[in-house]
C-alpha cells in the first residue's frame, strides 16, 4: 500500500494566517493527490484534486501543489470556517489511502 | 445536484453482519465509481472499496474478504455488507462518489455504526 504521511498532525493558527500542510507519499503517486476538509457532523469536502486543481465552489484561498511524493496544501488568509481537519489521499494506486490528518485549530 | 444518504442500523452485534445502503438522489448511478469510506473514532479515514455501474468491484485487502458491495440501479442505491464484525469496525461510515482518478467529490453525511459485544 502507498503510505501517506502528513505534517504537522496539529496546527494552531489565527484568522488571517497563511498555513501550509505537507503530505508525503511512500512512493510516487504522480499528481493523483487529493485534499479534503472534514468537520464534525458534516460530510467531507473535496478541496483540491489532481494535486493542484481547485474543486468547483471551493474558495480560491485554498491551493495545492506538488508531484511525485511531495505535496502541499496552502490556505491563504485563514477564515473562521476553515478550522477543521484536513486529509490528503492518493488516487494513483489501489487501495486508495489517506494521510493521518492535520487538525487546524485556533 | 447529486446527494448521497447512508442508511442502516446504528448497532451491530459482534461477529454479526453490518449492512448499509446508500441512496443516490438528483442524478444517475451510472458512469461513476461508488465507494465506501469509514472513520473509526479518533482515527483517520479508511477506504473500504468501490463498485462500478457494471458491477465490478475493488475492495481494500485489509478487510480480508469480509466485504461485499452491490448495486441496485432500479433504486439508485448501492450497498455495503461486512461480515464477522468486531469492535475495530466501530466507525462513521460514509458513501462517496469517485470521478475517475480525481477524488471523492460527493459524500453522504455519514452514519455511525457501533459494534456491541
Amino acid at each position: 500500500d502507498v503510505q501517506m504521511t502528513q505534517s504537522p498532525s496539529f496546527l494552531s493558527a489565527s484568522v488571517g494566517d497563511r498555513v501550509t500542510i505537507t503530505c508525503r507519499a511512500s512512493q510516487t503517486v504522480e499528481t493523483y493527490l487529493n485534499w479534503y476538509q472534514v468537520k464534525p457532523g458534516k460530510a467531507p469536502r473535496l478541496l483540491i484534486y489532481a494535486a493542484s486543481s481547485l474543486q468547483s465552489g471551493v474558495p480560491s484561498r485554498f491551493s495545492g501543489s506538488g508531484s511525485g511524493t511531495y505535496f502541499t496544501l496552502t490556505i491563504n488568509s485563514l477564515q473562521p470556517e476553515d478550522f477543521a481537519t484536513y486529509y490528503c489521499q492518493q488516487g494513483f494506486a489501489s487501495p486508495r489511502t489517506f494521510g493521518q490528518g492535520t487538525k487546524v485549530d485556533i | 445536484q447529486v446527494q448521497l444518504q447512508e442508511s442502516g442500523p446504528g448497532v451491530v452485534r459482534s461477529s454479526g453482519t453490518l449492512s448499509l445502503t446508500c441512496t443516490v438522489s438528483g442524478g444517475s448511478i451510472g458512469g461513476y465509481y461508488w465507494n465506501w469510506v469509514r472513520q473509526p473514532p479518533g482515527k483517520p479515514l479508511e477506504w473500504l472499496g468501490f463498485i462500478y455501474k457494471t458491477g465490478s468491484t475493488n475492495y481494500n485487502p485489509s478487510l480480508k474478504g469480509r466485504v461485499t458491495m452491490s448495486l441496485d440501479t432500479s433504486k439508485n442505491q448501492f450497498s455495503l455488507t461486512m461480515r464477522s464484525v468486531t469492535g475495530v469496525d466501530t466507525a462513521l461510515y460514509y458513501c462517496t462518489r469517485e470521478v475517475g482518478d480525481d477524488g471523492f467529490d460527493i459524500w453522504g453525511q455519514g452514519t455511525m455504526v457501533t459494534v456491541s459485544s
Side-chain angles (χ1 to χ4, degrees), chain B residues 2 4-5 8 15 17-18 20 25 37-38 83 88 108 113 116:
Chain B
V2 177
L4 306 182
Q5 179 65 59
S15 77
T17 298
L18 178 161
L20 297 175
S25 59
V37 173
R38 70 181 179 182
R83 297 169 291 278
V88 300
V113 178
S116 71

Side-chain angles (χ1 to χ4, degrees), chain B residues 8-67:
Chain B
V11 179
V12 180
R13 296 290 290 268
S14 184
S15 77
T17 298
L18 178 161
S19 296
L20 297 175
T21 296
C22 183
T23 300
V24 180
S25 59
S28 170
I29 207 165
Y32 299 98
Y33 295 85
W34 301 97
N35 292 253
W36 290 94
V37 173
R38 70 181 179 182
Q39 185 170 30
K43 294 194 173 182
L45 298 164
E46 178 186 21
W47 176 77
L48 303 182
F50 72 67
I51 185 165
Y52 188 55
K53 62 174 182 176
T54 58
S56 65
T57 55
N58 185 11
Y59 304 136
N60 193 325
S62 70
L63 300 170
K64 297 185 175 69
R66 297 190 295 127
V67 162

Side-chain angles (χ1 to χ4, degrees), chain A residues 36-95:
Chain A
Y36 302 87
Q37 178 191 67
V38 179
K39 295 182 179 180
K42 288 198 160 187
R45 181 188 186 192
L46 175 64
L47 301 173
I48 301 288
Y49 65 93
S52 60
S53 296
L54 192 68
Q55 175 69 358
S56 175
V58 174
S60 60
R61 63 181 179 273
F62 291 92
S63 63
S65 67
S67 65
T69 63
Y70 183 79
F71 303 87
T72 61
L73 171 71
T74 298
I75 311 172
N76 283 304
S77 188
L78 201 66
Q79 297 301 299
E81 60 268 29
D82 300 337
F83 292 96
T85 302
Y86 294 85
Y87 291 90
C88 61
Q89 173 252 326
Q90 63 82 17
F92 178 74
S94 183

